[in-house]
Amino acid sequence: MAQRLRQARKLAVLTGAGVSRESGIPTFRDAQTGLWASYDPARLATPQGFLADPPLVWRWYDMRRAIVLDAQPNPGHLALSEMEEMIPSVVIITQNIDGLHARAGSRDIIELHGNIARYKCFENEHPQADVQPGLGEPPRCSCGSLLRPDVVWFGENLPPAALERAFSEIRSAQVALVVGTSGLVQPAASLPFIARHHGAYLVEVNPEETATTIIADCFLQGRSGEILPRIVEAMRDLKV
Ligand code: BJW
């Protein structure tokens, strides 16, 4: 497996919440500690939920933004950025909104579900910078619409350019590495299947089996903060 990675000209990495778990950021679907165990996604992560109670949703994202700002990239994020030293093209396709891949030094990142540090207005998607923290409710854009975090909620389309590029990169990768995602949310969940269909060698890293495991060529069971640095170490020991 390390040899496959070492010889790849292009590596596409699909990441989910699990890669940031060891940075102290909760995942969504863990039965005990996942966000959806104590919060209702229909009220907090849909456009309808936002319109029903804008301050509730605004405060929930403020709380999560504070966690993200406090967090540091973990050895898993760092190992992925180190792979760039050994593979000519590494693209990170992430469902995460926390910005930790960029802070770990990865240079080519496709954010499928947006970024919690950015804001836009609800009606017209006007981007908005410099929003004060702790307002308690969403301020308004100059067009009059309420501001919201620039993330993708259920029922919303993913940013078209990001999605198009993700499909294209995954089709042309020799190796696809799927890390810390349950593989339950579409369309991101279809990317590993497309990679496999186009002949990529598929490696999955996760403590649990997922919807992707059945098609993986190699399933490495464990935490990404432990497994990914070991992969990098094994790659460094190999000659190409
Ligand atoms: C570790 C670890 C460690 C733990 N190391 N690993 C029916 C069928 C098919 C599709 C649909 C359907 N009904 C509706 C849909 C569409 C819907 C969808 O897929 N729903 C499914 C839930 C059924 N998708 C959408 O709505 C998307 N838009 C879309 O499709 O547009 C077209 C359309 C429109 C209208 C109707 C139909 C189609 C948009 C999806 C947006 C998802 N948004 C969220 C919130 C983002 C903002 C925020 O953060 O608040 O994105 S939801 C949440 O799930 C978040 C994540 O990015 C996403 C994926 O979760 P992820 O990352 O996989 O996390 P978990 O918690 O699920 O898994 C964590 C994993 O880590 C686990 O496997 C652990 O084992 C592992 N782990 N510790 C490594 N240390």
PDB file of all heavy atoms in Angstrom, residues 165-191:
ATOM      1  N   ARG A 165     -14.635  20.029  -9.887  1.00  0.00           N
ATOM      2  CA  ARG A 165     -13.205  19.723  -9.815  1.00  0.00           C
ATOM      3  C   ARG A 165     -12.971  18.435  -9.018  1.00  0.00           C
ATOM      4  O   ARG A 165     -12.109  17.626  -9.369  1.00  0.00           O
ATOM      5  CB  ARG A 165     -12.451  20.908  -9.188  1.00  0.00           C
ATOM      6  CG  ARG A 165     -10.998  20.648  -9.171  1.00  0.00           C
ATOM      7  CD  ARG A 165     -10.044  21.793  -9.075  1.00  0.00           C
ATOM      8  NE  ARG A 165      -8.725  21.171  -9.020  1.00  0.00           N
ATOM      9  CZ  ARG A 165      -7.884  21.286  -8.002  1.00  0.00           C
ATOM     10  NH1 ARG A 165      -8.159  22.062  -6.976  1.00  0.00           N
ATOM     11  NH2 ARG A 165      -6.736  20.632  -8.014  1.00  0.00           N
ATOM     12  N   ALA A 166     -13.743  18.244  -7.950  1.00  0.00           N
ATOM     13  CA  ALA A 166     -13.585  17.019  -7.145  1.00  0.00           C
ATOM     14  C   ALA A 166     -13.834  15.788  -8.018  1.00  0.00           C
ATOM     15  O   ALA A 166     -13.066  14.817  -7.977  1.00  0.00           O
ATOM     16  CB  ALA A 166     -14.542  17.042  -5.961  1.00  0.00           C
ATOM     17  N   PHE A 167     -14.880  15.816  -8.813  1.00  0.00           N
ATOM     18  CA  PHE A 167     -15.173  14.680  -9.700  1.00  0.00           C
ATOM     19  C   PHE A 167     -14.014  14.456 -10.670  1.00  0.00           C
ATOM     20  O   PHE A 167     -13.590  13.329 -10.906  1.00  0.00           O
ATOM     21  CB  PHE A 167     -16.469  14.914 -10.481  1.00  0.00           C
ATOM     22  CG  PHE A 167     -17.725  14.631  -9.680  1.00  0.00           C
ATOM     23  CD1 PHE A 167     -18.759  15.551  -9.606  1.00  0.00           C
ATOM     24  CD2 PHE A 167     -17.875  13.424  -9.009  1.00  0.00           C
ATOM     25  CE1 PHE A 167     -19.916  15.279  -8.869  1.00  0.00           C
ATOM     26  CE2 PHE A 167     -19.033  13.138  -8.274  1.00  0.00           C
ATOM     27  CZ  PHE A 167     -20.051  14.071  -8.209  1.00  0.00           C
ATOM     28  N   SER A 168     -13.512  15.546 -11.226  1.00  0.00           N
ATOM     29  CA  SER A 168     -12.457  15.423 -12.216  1.00  0.00           C
ATOM     30  C   SER A 168     -11.172  14.875 -11.568  1.00  0.00           C
ATOM     31  O   SER A 168     -10.510  13.991 -12.124  1.00  0.00           O
ATOM     32  CB  SER A 168     -12.261  16.796 -12.861  1.00  0.00           C
ATOM     33  OG  SER A 168     -10.977  16.929 -13.347  1.00  0.00           O
ATOM     34  N   GLU A 169     -10.814  15.373 -10.397  1.00  0.00           N
ATOM     35  CA  GLU A 169      -9.581  14.920  -9.729  1.00  0.00           C
ATOM     36  C   GLU A 169      -9.687  13.454  -9.330  1.00  0.00           C
ATOM     37  O   GLU A 169      -8.725  12.699  -9.448  1.00  0.00           O
ATOM     38  CB  GLU A 169      -9.304  15.770  -8.480  1.00  0.00           C
ATOM     39  CG  GLU A 169      -9.022  17.235  -8.762  1.00  0.00           C
ATOM     40  CD  GLU A 169      -7.684  17.465  -9.477  1.00  0.00           C
ATOM     41  OE1 GLU A 169      -6.866  16.532  -9.565  1.00  0.00           O
ATOM     42  OE2 GLU A 169      -7.470  18.598  -9.960  1.00  0.00           O
ATOM     43  N   ILE A 170     -10.838  13.066  -8.849  1.00  0.00           N
ATOM     44  CA  ILE A 170     -10.974  11.689  -8.364  1.00  0.00           C
ATOM     45  C   ILE A 170     -10.927  10.704  -9.526  1.00  0.00           C
ATOM     46  O   ILE A 170     -10.455   9.582  -9.385  1.00  0.00           O
ATOM     47  CB  ILE A 170     -12.266  11.549  -7.504  1.00  0.00           C
ATOM     48  CG1 ILE A 170     -12.110  10.447  -6.457  1.00  0.00           C
ATOM     49  CG2 ILE A 170     -13.512  11.286  -8.327  1.00  0.00           C
ATOM     50  CD1 ILE A 170     -11.604  10.880  -5.156  1.00  0.00           C
ATOM     51  N   ARG A 171     -11.383  11.157 -10.702  1.00  0.00           N
ATOM     52  CA  ARG A 171     -11.356  10.272 -11.878  1.00  0.00           C
ATOM     53  C   ARG A 171      -9.939  10.025 -12.370  1.00  0.00           C
ATOM     54  O   ARG A 171      -9.667   9.008 -12.989  1.00  0.00           O
ATOM     55  CB  ARG A 171     -12.182  10.889 -13.021  1.00  0.00           C
ATOM     56  CG  ARG A 171     -13.681  10.665 -12.871  1.00  0.00           C
ATOM     57  CD  ARG A 171     -14.406  10.957 -14.175  1.00  0.00           C
ATOM     58  NE  ARG A 171     -14.307  12.358 -14.557  1.00  0.00           N
ATOM     59  CZ  ARG A 171     -15.246  13.276 -14.314  1.00  0.00           C
ATOM     60  NH1 ARG A 171     -16.368  12.938 -13.720  1.00  0.00           N
ATOM     61  NH2 ARG A 171     -15.081  14.528 -14.669  1.00  0.00           N
ATOM     62  N   SER A 172      -9.042  10.987 -12.118  1.00  0.00           N
ATOM     63  CA  SER A 172      -7.702  10.847 -12.697  1.00  0.00           C
ATOM     64  C   SER A 172      -6.638  10.459 -11.664  1.00  0.00           C
ATOM     65  O   SER A 172      -5.453  10.442 -11.975  1.00  0.00           O
ATOM     66  CB  SER A 172      -7.303  12.159 -13.391  1.00  0.00           C
ATOM     67  OG  SER A 172      -7.385  13.215 -12.470  1.00  0.00           O
ATOM     68  N   ALA A 173      -7.061  10.135 -10.451  1.00  0.00           N
ATOM     69  CA  ALA A 173      -6.078   9.773  -9.416  1.00  0.00           C
ATOM     70  C   ALA A 173      -5.696   8.299  -9.525  1.00  0.00           C
ATOM     71  O   ALA A 173      -6.548   7.455  -9.798  1.00  0.00           O
ATOM     72  CB  ALA A 173      -6.669  10.051  -8.039  1.00  0.00           C
ATOM     73  N   GLN A 174      -4.404   7.998  -9.290  1.00  0.00           N
ATOM     74  CA  GLN A 174      -4.003   6.582  -9.249  1.00  0.00           C
ATOM     75  C   GLN A 174      -4.361   5.970  -7.895  1.00  0.00           C
ATOM     76  O   GLN A 174      -4.635   4.787  -7.788  1.00  0.00           O
ATOM     77  CB  GLN A 174      -2.487   6.425  -9.464  1.00  0.00           C
ATOM     78  CG  GLN A 174      -2.037   6.559 -10.896  1.00  0.00           C
ATOM     79  CD  GLN A 174      -1.873   8.017 -11.251  1.00  0.00           C
ATOM     80  OE1 GLN A 174      -1.242   8.767 -10.514  1.00  0.00           O
ATOM     81  NE2 GLN A 174      -2.443   8.420 -12.368  1.00  0.00           N
ATOM     82  N   VAL A 175      -4.295   6.815  -6.846  1.00  0.00           N
ATOM     83  CA  VAL A 175      -4.659   6.338  -5.506  1.00  0.00           C
ATOM     84  C   VAL A 175      -5.660   7.310  -4.909  1.00  0.00           C
ATOM     85  O   VAL A 175      -5.515   8.539  -5.033  1.00  0.00           O
ATOM     86  CB  VAL A 175      -3.413   6.223  -4.582  1.00  0.00           C
ATOM     87  CG1 VAL A 175      -3.820   5.729  -3.198  1.00  0.00           C
ATOM     88  CG2 VAL A 175      -2.366   5.293  -5.183  1.00  0.00           C
ATOM     89  N   ALA A 176      -6.709   6.763  -4.287  1.00  0.00           N
ATOM     90  CA  ALA A 176      -7.660   7.585  -3.534  1.00  0.00           C
ATOM     91  C   ALA A 176      -7.600   7.133  -2.077  1.00  0.00           C
ATOM     92  O   ALA A 176      -7.655   5.940  -1.788  1.00  0.00           O
ATOM     93  CB  ALA A 176      -9.066   7.420  -4.094  1.00  0.00           C
ATOM     94  N   LEU A 177      -7.469   8.122  -1.200  1.00  0.00           N
ATOM     95  CA  LEU A 177      -7.356   7.840   0.233  1.00  0.00           C
ATOM     96  C   LEU A 177      -8.582   8.460   0.896  1.00  0.00           C
ATOM     97  O   LEU A 177      -8.822   9.659   0.749  1.00  0.00           O
ATOM     98  CB  LEU A 177      -6.047   8.478   0.720  1.00  0.00           C
ATOM     99  CG  LEU A 177      -5.621   8.426   2.160  1.00  0.00           C
ATOM    100  CD1 LEU A 177      -5.568   6.990   2.667  1.00  0.00           C
ATOM    101  CD2 LEU A 177      -4.223   9.056   2.307  1.00  0.00           C
ATOM    102  N   VAL A 178      -9.367   7.642   1.580  1.00  0.00           N
ATOM    103  CA  VAL A 178     -10.620   8.119   2.179  1.00  0.00           C
ATOM    104  C   VAL A 178     -10.453   8.064   3.693  1.00  0.00           C
ATOM    105  O   VAL A 178     -10.237   6.993   4.262  1.00  0.00           O
ATOM    106  CB  VAL A 178     -11.801   7.228   1.739  1.00  0.00           C
ATOM    107  CG1 VAL A 178     -13.110   7.725   2.339  1.00  0.00           C
ATOM    108  CG2 VAL A 178     -11.900   7.195   0.214  1.00  0.00           C
ATOM    109  N   VAL A 179     -10.538   9.226   4.332  1.00  0.00           N
ATOM    110  CA  VAL A 179     -10.173   9.298   5.743  1.00  0.00           C
ATOM    111  C   VAL A 179     -11.297   9.906   6.577  1.00  0.00           C
ATOM    112  O   VAL A 179     -11.747  11.031   6.319  1.00  0.00           O
ATOM    113  CB  VAL A 179      -8.908  10.193   5.930  1.00  0.00           C
ATOM    114  CG1 VAL A 179      -8.451  10.169   7.387  1.00  0.00           C
ATOM    115  CG2 VAL A 179      -7.782   9.764   5.011  1.00  0.00           C
ATOM    116  N   GLY A 180     -11.754   9.167   7.587  1.00  0.00           N
ATOM    117  CA  GLY A 180     -12.621   9.752   8.616  1.00  0.00           C
ATOM    118  C   GLY A 180     -13.962  10.252   8.135  1.00  0.00           C
ATOM    119  O   GLY A 180     -14.438  11.282   8.605  1.00  0.00           O
ATOM    120  N   THR A 181     -14.575   9.520   7.218  1.00  0.00           N
ATOM    121  CA  THR A 181     -15.940   9.895   6.825  1.00  0.00           C
ATOM    122  C   THR A 181     -16.828   8.661   6.845  1.00  0.00           C
ATOM    123  O   THR A 181     -16.395   7.567   6.453  1.00  0.00           O
ATOM    124  CB  THR A 181     -15.982  10.586   5.440  1.00  0.00           C
ATOM    125  OG1 THR A 181     -17.346  10.845   5.093  1.00  0.00           O
ATOM    126  CG2 THR A 181     -15.316   9.777   4.335  1.00  0.00           C
ATOM    127  N   SER A 182     -18.065   8.863   7.290  1.00  0.00           N
ATOM    128  CA  SER A 182     -19.000   7.739   7.351  1.00  0.00           C
ATOM    129  C   SER A 182     -19.476   7.335   5.961  1.00  0.00           C
ATOM    130  O   SER A 182     -20.055   6.264   5.788  1.00  0.00           O
ATOM    131  CB  SER A 182     -20.199   8.107   8.227  1.00  0.00           C
ATOM    132  OG  SER A 182     -20.809   9.278   7.729  1.00  0.00           O
ATOM    133  N   GLY A 183     -19.307   8.216   4.975  1.00  0.00           N
ATOM    134  CA  GLY A 183     -19.731   7.896   3.611  1.00  0.00           C
ATOM    135  C   GLY A 183     -21.240   7.850   3.475  1.00  0.00           C
ATOM    136  O   GLY A 183     -21.772   7.121   2.632  1.00  0.00           O
ATOM    137  N   LEU A 184     -21.928   8.650   4.258  1.00  0.00           N
ATOM    138  CA  LEU A 184     -23.401   8.613   4.228  1.00  0.00           C
ATOM    139  C   LEU A 184     -24.009   9.819   3.531  1.00  0.00           C
ATOM    140  O   LEU A 184     -25.198   9.821   3.225  1.00  0.00           O
ATOM    141  CB  LEU A 184     -23.946   8.533   5.666  1.00  0.00           C
ATOM    142  CG  LEU A 184     -23.598   7.248   6.422  1.00  0.00           C
ATOM    143  CD1 LEU A 184     -24.073   7.326   7.871  1.00  0.00           C
ATOM    144  CD2 LEU A 184     -24.221   6.037   5.732  1.00  0.00           C
ATOM    145  N   VAL A 185     -23.222  10.873   3.351  1.00  0.00           N
ATOM    146  CA  VAL A 185     -23.795  12.109   2.815  1.00  0.00           C
ATOM    147  C   VAL A 185     -23.383  12.291   1.354  1.00  0.00           C
ATOM    148  O   VAL A 185     -22.200  12.306   1.022  1.00  0.00           O
ATOM    149  CB  VAL A 185     -23.348  13.327   3.673  1.00  0.00           C
ATOM    150  CG1 VAL A 185     -23.832  14.627   3.068  1.00  0.00           C
ATOM    151  CG2 VAL A 185     -23.895  13.182   5.090  1.00  0.00           C
ATOM    152  N   GLN A 186     -24.401  12.437   0.536  1.00  0.00           N
ATOM    153  CA  GLN A 186     -24.184  12.635  -0.905  1.00  0.00           C
ATOM    154  C   GLN A 186     -24.050  14.122  -1.207  1.00  0.00           C
ATOM    155  O   GLN A 186     -24.573  14.945  -0.469  1.00  0.00           O
ATOM    156  CB  GLN A 186     -25.365  12.050  -1.688  1.00  0.00           C
ATOM    157  CG  GLN A 186     -25.504  10.543  -1.593  1.00  0.00           C
ATOM    158  CD  GLN A 186     -24.349   9.793  -2.256  1.00  0.00           C
ATOM    159  OE1 GLN A 186     -23.522  10.379  -2.950  1.00  0.00           O
ATOM    160  NE2 GLN A 186     -24.289   8.499  -2.012  1.00  0.00           N
ATOM    161  N   PRO A 187     -23.371  14.510  -2.274  1.00  0.00           N
ATOM    162  CA  PRO A 187     -22.725  13.645  -3.256  1.00  0.00           C
ATOM    163  C   PRO A 187     -21.305  13.216  -2.896  1.00  0.00           C
ATOM    164  O   PRO A 187     -20.735  12.393  -3.615  1.00  0.00           O
ATOM    165  CB  PRO A 187     -22.722  14.513  -4.518  1.00  0.00           C
ATOM    166  CG  PRO A 187     -22.693  15.917  -4.023  1.00  0.00           C
ATOM    167  CD  PRO A 187     -23.431  15.927  -2.728  1.00  0.00           C
ATOM    168  N   ALA A 188     -20.745  13.728  -1.785  1.00  0.00           N
ATOM    169  CA  ALA A 188     -19.358  13.370  -1.444  1.00  0.00           C
ATOM    170  C   ALA A 188     -19.175  11.861  -1.353  1.00  0.00           C
ATOM    171  O   ALA A 188     -18.138  11.309  -1.753  1.00  0.00           O
ATOM    172  CB  ALA A 188     -18.959  14.034  -0.125  1.00  0.00           C
ATOM    173  N   ALA A 189     -20.197  11.177  -0.838  1.00  0.00           N
ATOM    174  CA  ALA A 189     -20.086   9.735  -0.607  1.00  0.00           C
ATOM    175  C   ALA A 189     -19.895   8.941  -1.901  1.00  0.00           C
ATOM    176  O   ALA A 189     -19.446   7.792  -1.873  1.00  0.00           O
ATOM    177  CB  ALA A 189     -21.336   9.247   0.126  1.00  0.00           C
ATOM    178  N   SER A 190     -20.223   9.542  -3.027  1.00  0.00           N
ATOM    179  CA  SER A 190     -20.069   8.803  -4.288  1.00  0.00           C
ATOM    180  C   SER A 190     -18.635   8.885  -4.824  1.00  0.00           C
ATOM    181  O   SER A 190     -18.259   8.106  -5.718  1.00  0.00           O
ATOM    182  CB  SER A 190     -21.052   9.339  -5.334  1.00  0.00           C
ATOM    183  OG  SER A 190     -20.705  10.656  -5.683  1.00  0.00           O
ATOM    184  N   LEU A 191     -17.834   9.802  -4.291  1.00  0.00           N
ATOM    185  CA  LEU A 191     -16.481  10.004  -4.848  1.00  0.00           C
ATOM    186  C   LEU A 191     -15.609   8.741  -4.781  1.00  0.00           C
ATOM    187  O   LEU A 191     -14.955   8.395  -5.776  1.00  0.00           O
ATOM    188  CB  LEU A 191     -15.803  11.203  -4.180  1.00  0.00           C
ATOM    189  CG  LEU A 191     -16.435  12.566  -4.511  1.00  0.00           C
ATOM    190  CD1 LEU A 191     -15.876  13.666  -3.618  1.00  0.00           C
ATOM    191  CD2 LEU A 191     -16.217  12.930  -5.983  1.00  0.00           C
TER     192      LEU A 191
END
